[in-house]
């Protein structure tokens, strides 16, 4: 099988599993226990926290370990807004992950917040003029993702953050898709909080973290034994934390200029560009969704008018052994066209023809275009 769905998830890397193994077996202690096994677990947890922090150019005390990106987004949005309510006004975008959008909705429904959604242009880039108009002295929190999962567009987060900071609002960015692909440096971005997920970069599902700038108050969502400095109670998942640290350290290197992706980012983007070119030149009417250049290097997403994205996806798996996605995995199974594609101004019927291909290494794209074009033709000939 050729796996072209790394934006949905990735396999656990061998060195990650090896790093985790002792904490699933012999070194199984609870970090809160006062005996030797507990000490070993506690030291491993703090080393993992320090490694995650180092990959972001941050301090260990700024990392809250979570059960993944969804929890990190919820903790950022609800935790920051409830601890610093100011004018109870939230600003986010139409193309955020549901973890951010639904967390905002929760604050609107139950905590008296107002919420404004920023539009995006046809390439999926957030509207900075509208941001300038909507972010004001009342604004509590601005949340803009660093890179979109469905269309791959990388957002001008530093520009939005500068606007927000000038008005005294806090800024969060969801960097779940960006880690290992673009520079993820909270200081350069000028944000106050940043979400990470392990399973997009070779750590297990259910691992992740929220970075929160030192001194920024945060209200916990999970109460109990006071772990994670009281910000996230519950016996820590030591093995997941160790896995997250190992995976992020493989994906991101700290350099004197700040954190940089370690992977073959340029070669990946070149292989992706060749794949896009080959698909577009042989599939009439097809078009790329998202920004043609300001996008994740391993991300190619298309609409194939005259097909159904689901049918193309099935054909690719059954006839060509290619695993890809017909939109975001989170929206899979839903018949509704993707809200993200609608926000880009794509017609609802055309949005149902979307297919996304995502890869972590350049070789994965090689020779895939022919199969895609054949699958699109097959679906069109059945439909027509
Ligand atoms: N944010 C973005 C942009 C994502 O793509 C995802 C997962 O696909 C998440 C958040 C949720 O992360 P997790 O699956 O770790 O809960």
């Amino acid at each position: 099988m050729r796996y072209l769905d790394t934006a949905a998830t990735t396999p656990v890397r061998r060195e990650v599993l090896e790093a985790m193994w002792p904490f699933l077996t012999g070194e199984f202690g609870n970090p809160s226990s006062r005996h030797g096994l507990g000490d070993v677990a506690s030291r491993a947890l703090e080393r993992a926290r320090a490694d995650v922090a180092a990959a972001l150019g941050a301090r260990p005390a700024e990392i809250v370990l979570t059960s993944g990106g969804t929890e990190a987004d919820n903790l950022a949005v609800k935790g920051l807004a409830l601890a610093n309510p100011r004018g109870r006004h939230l600003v986010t975008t139409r193309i955020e992950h549901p973890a951010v959008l639904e967390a905002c909705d929760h604050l609107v429904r139950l905590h008296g917040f107002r919420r404004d959604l920023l539009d995006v242009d046809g390439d999926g880039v957030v509207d900075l003029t509208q941001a300038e108009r909507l972010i004001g002295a009342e604004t509590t929190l601005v949340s803009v993702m660093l890179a979109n999962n469905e269309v791959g567009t990388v957002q001008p987060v530093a520009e939005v953050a500068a606007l927000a900071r000038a008005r005294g609002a806090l800024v969060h960015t969801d960097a779940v898709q960006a880690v290992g692909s673009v520079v993820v440096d909270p200081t350069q971005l000028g944000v106050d909080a940043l979400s990470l997920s392990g399973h997009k970069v070779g750590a297990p599902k259910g691992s992740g973290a929220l970075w929160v700038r030192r001194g920024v108050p945060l209200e916990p969502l999970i109460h109990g034994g006071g772990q994670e400095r009281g910000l996230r109670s519950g016996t820590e998942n030591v093995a997941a934390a160790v896995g997250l640290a190992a995976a992020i350290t493989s994906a991101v290197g700290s350099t004197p200029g700040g954190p940089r992706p370690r992977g073959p980012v340029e070669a990946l983007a070149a292989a992706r560009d060749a794949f896009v070119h080959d698909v577009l030149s042989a599939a009439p009417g097809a078009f790329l969704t998202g920004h043609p250049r300001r996008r994740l290097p391993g991300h190619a997403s298309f609409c194939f008018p005259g097909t159904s994205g689901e049918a193309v996806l099935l054909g690719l798996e059954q006839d060509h052994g290619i695993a890809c996605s017909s939109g975001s995995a989170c929206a899979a199974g839903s018949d509704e066209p993707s809200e993200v594609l609608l926000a880009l101004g794509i017609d609802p019927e055309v949005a149902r023809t979307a297919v996304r291909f995502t890869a972590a290494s350049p070789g994965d794209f090689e020779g895939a275009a022919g199969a895609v074009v054949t699958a699109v033709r097959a679906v069109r000939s059945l439909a027509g």
Side-chain angles (χ1 to χ4, degrees):
M1 185 194 57
R2 189 195 287 257
Y3 185 70
L4 288 176
D5 204 13
T6 54
T9 196
T10 60
V12 175
R13 298 164 68 109
R14 173 172 284 278
E15 72 271 21
V16 170
L17 188 58
E18 280 169 3
M20 293 171 64
W21 185 249
F23 304 99
L24 293 165
T25 51
E27 304 292 1
F28 58 86
N30 182 328
S32 300
S33 296
R34 307 298 285 266
H35 46 62
L37 271 177
D39 275 355
V40 171
S42 163
R43 272 189 272 118
L45 188 71
E46 293 318 312
R47 200 173 329 110
R49 188 188 313 284
D51 289 348
V52 172
L56 298 177
R59 301 177 179 89
E62 295 174 315
I63 301 292
V64 184
L65 295 162
T66 68
S67 66
T70 298
E71 187 189 330
D73 282 345
N74 270 270
L75 181 57
V77 172
K78 296 181 203 161
L80 289 173
L82 293 173
N84 314 272
R86 219 161 66 130
R88 293 187 188 271
H89 178 227
L90 308 166
V91 175
T92 185
T93 81
R94 292 193 184 283
I95 64 165
E96 293 304 306
H97 190 273
V100 166
L101 289 172
E102 297 288 322
C104 289
D105 283 354
H106 171 90
L107 292 171
V108 169
R109 276 189 289 110
L110 297 178
H111 296 279
F113 280 75
R114 286 182 302 120
R115 181 211 62 182
D116 278 310
L117 293 177
L118 296 173
D119 296 324
V120 294
D121 67 14
D123 291 332
V125 180
V126 76
D127 184 339
L128 286 173
T129 317
Q130 193 192 23
E132 185 138 27
R133 203 159 25 84
L134 286 178
I135 302 169
E138 305 261 279
T139 306
T140 309
L141 175 70
V142 178
S143 181
V144 174
M145 71 203 318
L146 190 47
N148 182 265
N149 42 315
E150 288 188 48
V151 297
T153 301
V154 176
Q155 298 296 341
V157 170
E159 282 90 328
V160 178
L163 276 176
R165 270 205 323 277
R167 292 157 174 80
L170 292 171
V171 188
H172 163 247
T173 192
D174 173 339
V176 165
Q177 292 288 343
V179 173
S181 290
V182 297
V183 174
V184 176
D185 180 340
T187 312
Q188 259 180 40
L189 292 169
V191 296
D192 300 287
L194 183 147
S195 306
L196 302 174
S197 171
H199 73 103
K200 312 292 182 179
V201 288
K205 294 161 190 62
S207 62
L210 180 69
W211 169 86
V212 187
R213 181 185 299 289
R214 188 165 68 161
V216 175
L218 186 72
E219 183 65 29
L221 305 184
I222 302 178
H223 303 94
Q227 290 89 345
E228 296 295 294
R229 306 180 304 288
L231 295 171
R232 203 269 183 187
S233 285
T235 303
E236 301 90 337
N237 189 341
V238 180
V242 168
L244 175 74
I248 292 206
T249 307
S250 297
V252 180
S254 35
T255 69
R260 292 282 175 280
R262 279 194 207 272
V265 174
E266 271 127 45
L268 184 58
R272 186 272 322 276
D273 288 344
F275 169 70
V276 169
H277 171 269
D278 292 350
V279 169
L280 294 183
S281 51
F287 61 91
L288 184 75
T289 58
H291 199 283
R293 290 175 310 283
R294 278 192 60 118
R295 66 183 300 132
L296 293 170
H299 194 295
S301 49
F302 303 91
C303 284
F304 297 112
T307 69
S308 112
E310 286 290 318
V312 173
L313 175 136
L314 282 177
L316 278 169
E317 174 148 37
Q318 279 168 12
D319 302 336
H320 304 276
I322 292 181
C324 58
S325 162
S326 61
S328 74
C330 325
S334 135
D335 272 349
E336 293 304 310
S338 139
E339 290 293 334
V340 171
L341 297 178
L342 298 183
L344 267 67
I346 295 173
D347 175 87
E349 282 314 307
V350 176
R352 289 196 170 87
T353 73
V355 186
R356 177 187 76 180
F357 304 91
T358 47
S361 87
D364 294 341
F365 281 121
E366 268 163 35
V372 174
V373 172
T374 308
V376 168
R377 275 197 201 124
V379 173
R380 279 184 177 156
S381 70
L382 281 178

